[in-house]
Amino acid sequence: MTPAFLNCISIRRVLKNRLHILIILIFNSFLAEVCAQNLPKNEVIKDTIHHGKKDSLAVKESLDDIVKSSASEDIRNDVQKKMMYLNKNAKVTYQDMEVEADYISINWETGEVFARGKLDDKGKVVEPVSVTQGGKKYETDQFNFNYKTKQAIAYNARTEESGGVIVADKTKKVSDSVFYFKRGKYTTDDYFIQKKDTLADYYLLAPDIKLVKTKQNSQIITGPIQMYIERVPTPLIMPFAILPFSDKRSAGLIVPSFGERESVGFYLNGLGYYQPIGEHFDLKILTDLYTKGSWNIRPELNYKKNYRYNGSFSAEAGATITGIKGLDDYSKAKTYRIAWTHTQDSKANPYLNFSASVNIVSSKFYNNTINNNYIFNQNVLNTQQNSTVSITKRFLTLPITITGTSSYSQNFSTGSVNLRLPQMNVAVNQFYLFKPRNGGVREGLLENITVNTGFNFSNYVTTTEDNLFKKEMWDEMQTGLQNNLSIATNATFAKYFIFSLNATANNVLTNKTVTKNYNPLTNEVESAYNRNIAGFSSFSTGASVQTTLYGNLNFGEHFKIQKIRHMVTPSISFTYAPDFGEESWGYYKHYYSASGAMTAYSIFDGGIFGSPSSGLTQSLGFNIGNNLEMKVKSKTDSTGVKKIKIFESLNVSGSYNFAAASHKWSMISISGQTSFFNSKMNVNTSLTLDPYETVYDVNGVGTRTENFGKFSLQGFNVQFSFPLNNQTFGEKPKLAEKYSTKGEIMNENYYFDEDHYSRFEQPWTLNLTANYAYTKSSSSKFGTRVASVGVNGSIKLTPFWNITGNTYYDIVNQKLAYTRLGFALDQRSFNINFNWVPFGQYKVYDFFIGIKANILSDALKYKERSFNVSNAPF
């Protein structure tokens, strides 16, 4: 061989190896991680794409590893044109990168490399170019890149990252850290990512996308972006989007739900912005906007410190506008809400605990709220709301517990506000007065004596919202100190009887007393409060005996009802308390009424700790508890018998006061609880009877007589609940046991019978409730009734469609009360939810779309944020 010939062979081998190496090196950073972590603030990335210039897409002079290449047909070199061609199943491997394509060509002069996927007869790519590096796989129809400039252009490239995939018509790599996408589609559809489906159920389309990646942070920046569902464009459009792919929380917009509310118009509910603040805080500012002018703004601040505490502050302020300005139906109401929750980790400090649950709203807030979340969660039905802030201190060596509390209670029906600011309770832990003689089990009355005591200091006022924290409120505030002491003991005698003794003492100091007088000019009893320190002491003592009796009625094993068991728990008690209404105590005074009768009143009436009782108490009380069960034959029970509860409880109670001047018998109370249908239906009832006859005049005004034994009804209540579900009437065989054929792709939750009809589980729940209550007083013939029935439940029409709803019917007023319907559709990678209140004061419908993937869950649907959510919204 001539030297020239050998030299030619050497050149061809070098060119061949370098060609494959260049393919690897250039694609090493092509379509790299689309989403990694945020771009540092001090780094500036310049756009190196120059429009109007030809995209230039050559090799390091030294290689760090061996290049392996192969092709199923041939590897051809054209030395004259400085080209190399790899045909059919071309494969190049270098270090951790592997490139597979149907065709690869390299121009050694310009440094341009071209790779193309497999084509069918019509010229359509049926197998894409595949590049794998570092365990990640990238696919594209074809691409050009230049190993000299390290720039690359890919067409119809598919890139997966962080649970999502980007498919772009054209992708250009400018440098190792900057990529551009033309007409890019982003989706998190698992079926599309796993190639179970060729079409994504949704995607976000942007004409221009820029990817900036560094070792620590990556982010995607887009121009206008629009959401498509099943390739149909939606009105969810944003002028731009920034998607940071990071483990850190990032700021962004929160897209609202939308709908219509009859009285205030169309709306956007929950449009806002999310901003993390340091490591322990995050802030949301949300707005609710309506076409008729109503608005609401609600900032929310969440905080958390691991293993210590967590909580949130929130507020709302807005205006509700109904009707047309200038017309009679126009109205404008301002609303506000202040809320704070704080929870301390139980392990943070076992001896000191601080907690808060504050929710203060304007008196007409729920009647005029613009935030529709309160309608769907039924908060608009609230009649009472309480707020509490408390701190509790315990001691390692001292047997006391100190609790400081501030509370705020609102009654929306009366408009009254009860405020305790502050209240402190010092409780001494219960202790036994005497130790057992032998150090073992306590026996007898002496060794079982327990003592409970403590002090309670409180500032209390009942006022209105308008007078809150004004001079009128401070003038009415009461301050008091109370000490309670109770001693109790018990012992068993005659084997079956438990004998108990107790004594209580109550000592009170307060800064206000009251003086009452009848004013004939106004025909009213007027009260005047005196600022002076006064106090009272009261005490009582009592004893009780109780036991348990059993009664069995056996019918035998041959009868359907085999046995009835009746358990009775009777108890009697005696209570003694002095007459603190006597003049010698000084707790009661008198005034002359309109009829001239002398009327007694306590100077502590309406006081912070109440007033002492009047009248001597020598009362004998009784309570009879009953439990009734029976055993019946059962073919469904493995033992052959089944226990049925006739009455889980049936209690009768009352008392007789020997010292009372009249009406010695108290009201008789009866209460019961039972269940039916294998304890599925629960019934609770109560009954109050007056043993004395009441005589009514023509106007229905009653006078209670001493005629004993008439037992007129004073109150009755019955509550009924019956929860039903798809297993109530027996479990059905599982579909997997009944059918062998299961669906694929989207039909994975379906089974198919022999006729190819789909079969699927349809779980459902249905809760039936009913309530009836009747109350009246002895002074009036006419009582009041409350009666309602309610239904709430859910059903899955298909594995992906769920319907929920609830409604209540007011029987007395004969009208439907609060009613809500909800529809939820599971569309693989996102949910569609629709809530509707069809009639009533809060007639409204609401619609929103929720993406399941964490990275977009907050971008397309309002969702409560937490510190466990690592990705940010748009």
Side-chain angles (χ1 to χ4, degrees), residues 381-395:
L381 305 179
N382 288 354
T383 58
Q384 181 85 17
Q385 192 153 282
N386 302 311
S387 300
T388 304
V389 177
S390 66
I391 183 169
T392 302
K393 174 64 177 175
R394 299 178 179 86
F395 299 88

Side-chain angles (χ1 to χ4, degrees), residues 176-439:
D176 290 341
S177 59
V178 179
F179 296 80
Y180 287 89
F181 302 89
K182 197 70 175 179
R183 192 169 173 79
K185 301 174 183 177
Y186 178 82
T187 183
T188 57
D189 181 2
D190 283 338
Y191 287 90
F192 182 76
I193 295 173
Q194 298 171 21
K195 298 186 178 178
K196 293 181 178 180
D197 201 340
T198 57
L199 296 174
D201 59 355
Y202 89 96
Y203 57 82
L204 304 176
L205 175 64
D208 299 291
I209 300 176
K210 182 176 182 178
L211 167 64
V212 181
K213 65 185 281 293
T214 64
K215 292 181 179 180
Q216 296 182 348
N217 299 294
S218 292
Q219 62 182 347
I220 287 179
I221 306 167
T222 79
I225 189 168
Q226 183 176 15
M227 183 178 186
Y228 282 68
I229 296 178
E230 302 293 351
R231 294 188 292 176
V232 177
T234 71
L236 295 176
I237 303 174
M238 285 178 287
F240 68 92
I242 300 175
L243 285 176
F245 299 94
S246 171
D247 292 334
K248 297 180 179 179
R249 296 169 292 129
S250 301
L253 297 174
I254 298 176
V255 176
S257 62
F258 60 90
E260 181 189 12
R261 189 159 146 193
E262 185 179 49
S263 58
V264 286
F266 294 94
Y267 65 83
L268 295 176
N269 200 156
L271 174 64
Y273 187 78
Y274 171 79
Q275 175 66 58
I277 305 174
E279 183 181 354
H280 303 291
F281 296 86
D282 64 8
L283 174 67
K284 285 184 294 188
I285 299 179
L286 304 171
T287 57
D288 307 316
L289 303 174
Y290 287 76
T291 54
K292 291 186 179 181
S294 300
W295 60 271
N296 190 39
I297 184 169
R298 39 192 174 105
E300 299 178 8
L301 177 69
N302 298 300
Y303 59 89
K304 180 177 182 180
K305 190 169 184 179
N306 288 335
Y307 313 112
R308 297 295 298 276
Y309 52 79
N310 66 83
S312 65
F313 290 97
S314 62
E316 293 188 39
T320 304
I321 299 173
T322 60
I324 301 175
K325 193 170 185 178
L327 300 181
D328 294 338
D329 63 344
Y330 176 81
S331 68
K332 181 178 181 180
K334 293 184 178 181
T335 60
Y336 69 85
R337 173 180 172 267
I338 301 172
W340 175 35
T341 62
H342 180 92
T343 303
Q344 180 176 306
D345 193 304
S346 59
K347 298 178 182 178
N349 190 335
Y351 299 104
L352 183 66
N353 180 270
F354 177 79
S355 64
S357 177
V358 176
N359 196 354
I360 300 174
V361 302
S362 53
S363 59
K364 301 297 183 181
F365 178 83
Y366 290 121
N367 290 335
N368 298 282
T369 180
I370 290 301
N371 186 351
N372 292 302
N373 295 328
Y374 298 122
I375 297 176
F376 298 126
N377 62 23
Q378 302 187 47
N379 280 350
V380 290
L381 305 179
N382 288 354
T383 58
Q384 181 85 17
Q385 192 153 282
N386 302 311
S387 300
T388 304
V389 177
S390 66
I391 183 169
T392 302
K393 174 64 177 175
R394 299 178 179 86
F395 299 88
L396 181 61
T397 57
L398 296 176
I400 63 173
T401 301
I402 301 176
T403 303
T405 304
S406 294
S407 63
Y408 180 87
S409 176
Q410 296 174 266
N411 189 309
F412 299 125
S413 59
T414 63
S416 64
V417 172
N418 297 327
L419 180 65
R420 291 188 183 273
L421 186 70
Q423 176 174 291
M424 185 179 71
N425 180 269
V426 180
V428 179
N429 300 344
Q430 178 180 288
F431 61 91
Y432 287 90
L433 199 58
F434 301 101
K435 295 182 178 180
R437 299 173 188 173
N438 54 8

